[in-house]
Amino acid sequence: MLKRLFYVSFVFYLCSLIYVEDSSYVHAINKDVVFFDSGTAINGRTMLPMRNIFESLDATVAWDSSTQTITASKGNTTIQLKVNSYKAIVNGKETFLDNPPTIMNSTTMVPVRFVSESLKLPVEWDSTLRVVNIITEGKNIFIYVNDPTINTDKNSKINNYNQLVDLHNNLLFVLQNLEYEKSLYPNYSQDYRNILEKQLTLSKLKLKVMQRMEVILTEIIRQG
């Protein structure tokens, strides 16, 4: 049972890596695992909407629109950031950023690594999957980073398409296992409802995979 649940969680992780052009959503399996697909690379640094990152790190955040200043607190740490400023204040001490907070499409984006490390949280970067992993108090936060400068030649698209095919097949396998698990419980039980909720979420993700596959396949065909 544990192995099967781990596999379900792993597929959620893989599915969170799919970038859909107009998406900005969060997948939460439970309180321990959170996925964001709204990370954006700016000058080689991962940026995320400020409320997404601070709230997922269980930090309080305040926004002063008159000065465009962000103040976030967690435990004994307080961080102050200002839009378009390379200066930051952590517990009253001035420090400097590689990339300043910025506003994109009316959303305030903040640098993920600086925020996490200022809160003394470990940050890992997987360059192959383009995923940032932050671990905080038993919670795993995964952030897929979209980079508009990534190569979009035909071979890259074919590789991406093949990866999506694998994801689609894995989703089918997990959905079949969940269907079997669901049959073990009466339909009025909480276990049954929990499995049904996972099935619905996975089915939506499977649909996104198929839609993305169709888009990429059309682009490959057009390129000839």
Side-chain angles (χ1 to χ4, degrees):
M1 174 69 86
L2 289 176
K3 182 177 180 181
R4 192 172 294 157
L5 290 176
F6 171 80
Y7 191 79
V8 172
S9 299
F10 181 67
V11 169
F12 266 102
Y13 166 71
L14 291 176
C15 289
S16 71
L17 309 183
I18 301 168
Y19 176 70
V20 183
E21 184 176 356
D22 60 352
S23 65
S24 181
Y25 52 88
V26 179
H27 301 310
I29 296 178
N30 50 47
K31 64 181 181 180
D32 302 320
V33 183
V34 179
F35 301 127
F36 294 102
D37 82 332
S38 49
T40 300
I42 301 177
N43 298 326
R45 295 291 182 265
T46 299
M47 311 288 281
L48 196 70
M50 68 172 185
R51 293 205 177 274
N52 283 9
I53 183 62
F54 285 123
E55 290 178 0
S56 67
L57 294 174
D58 299 320
T60 58
V61 58
W63 165 250
D64 186 334
S65 58
S66 62
T67 61
Q68 294 194 316
T69 300
I70 306 150
T71 303
S73 299
K74 179 180 172 67
N76 297 322
T77 304
T78 298
I79 303 170
Q80 284 187 320
L81 301 166
K82 189 172 182 178
V83 171
N84 296 328
S85 174
Y86 285 89
K87 293 181 181 180
I89 298 175
V90 181
N91 288 342
K93 295 182 179 180
E94 190 174 83
T95 186
F96 293 89
L97 306 167
D98 292 333
N99 227 36
T102 187
I103 295 178
M104 294 179 59
N105 300 322
S106 301
T107 299
T108 304
M109 309 289 285
V110 296
V112 172
R113 181 173 289 276
F114 173 81
V115 168
S116 302
E117 291 182 348
S118 295
L119 295 174
K120 298 179 174 58
L121 300 173
V123 180
E124 298 177 355
W125 166 246
D126 188 318
S127 59
T128 302
L129 297 176
R130 301 199 56 75
V131 170
V132 174
N133 181 21
I134 305 170
I135 301 174
T136 169
E137 299 171 357
K139 179 192 293 183
N140 274 277
I141 300 169
F142 296 100
I143 305 167
Y144 171 67
V145 182
N146 174 52
D147 187 344
T149 65
I150 290 178
N151 194 349
T152 56
D153 62 21
K154 185 175 180 180
N155 288 335
S156 297
K157 289 179 179 178
I158 290 174
N159 288 335
N160 193 2
Y161 180 82
N162 289 335
Q163 290 173 349
L164 293 178
V165 170
D166 288 339
L167 288 179
H168 181 265
N169 291 339
N170 286 333
L171 278 168
L172 287 176
F173 175 77
V174 174
L175 284 167
Q176 289 171 356
N177 281 343
L178 287 175
E179 188 64 28
Y180 170 74
E181 285 185 34
K182 192 172 66 174
S183 68
L184 302 178
Y185 301 101
N187 57 15
Y188 53 81
S189 68
Q190 186 61 48
D191 288 323
Y192 182 95
R193 290 195 291 271
N194 290 342
I195 294 172
L196 182 60
E197 184 177 348
K198 286 183 180 180
Q199 283 183 309
L200 291 174
T201 303
L202 280 170
S203 294
K204 290 178 182 178
L205 290 174
K206 183 167 72 73
L207 178 60
K208 286 184 178 292
V209 174
M210 294 174 66
Q211 290 172 338
R212 187 60 180 157
M213 287 169 60
E214 184 177 353
V215 170
I216 294 175
L217 185 59
T218 300
E219 291 174 352
I220 292 172
I221 293 172
R222 285 177 180 171
Q223 284 184 291

